Amino acid sequence: VLKLESLARLGSGSFVVTSRRLGFVGDLKSFAFPLATLRHAVQYDNGLLLVREGRENGDVLLTESAGAILFYINYVLQL
């Protein structure tokens, strides 16, 4: 079985990291979820994959700032 998936652009915006939540505030779509539900994050050259509890698929963020976002996520997880 061959499964083909593609990414759809959901707009541009800002990724927000707080001590309790992760979120994306975009011009077309926004989302947020509790930091405690983040299971793992994978950094790629052009983005991040965020996998959270209770979801089969992760959220993909296309960004040139993947390293900085992951740094902040790791920082707040250690607080």
Side-chain angles (χ1 to χ4, degrees):
V1 174
L2 178 63
K3 185 175 181 181
L4 182 62
E5 294 184 30
S6 64
L7 299 176
R9 182 178 166 86
L10 295 178
S12 59
S14 299
F15 191 75
V16 180
V17 179
T18 72
S19 60
R20 295 181 187 219
R21 300 184 72 74
L22 299 176
F24 174 77
V25 180
D27 56 354
L28 299 177
K29 186 172 181 174
S30 299
F31 68 84
F33 59 91
L35 184 59
T37 64
L38 181 67
R39 290 296 151 234
H40 67 272
V42 180
Q43 181 180 347
Y44 295 100
D45 291 338
N46 62 345
L48 282 174
L49 170 65
L50 302 174
V51 179
R52 55 183 152 146
E53 186 177 283
R55 303 246 349 236
E56 184 175 324
N57 297 316
D59 296 305
V60 176
L61 303 170
L62 299 177
T63 176
E64 298 295 321
S65 304
I69 293 170
L70 196 54
F71 172 83
Y72 289 119
I73 291 171
N74 284 323
Y75 177 79
V76 297
L77 284 172
Q78 295 176 16
L79 293 176

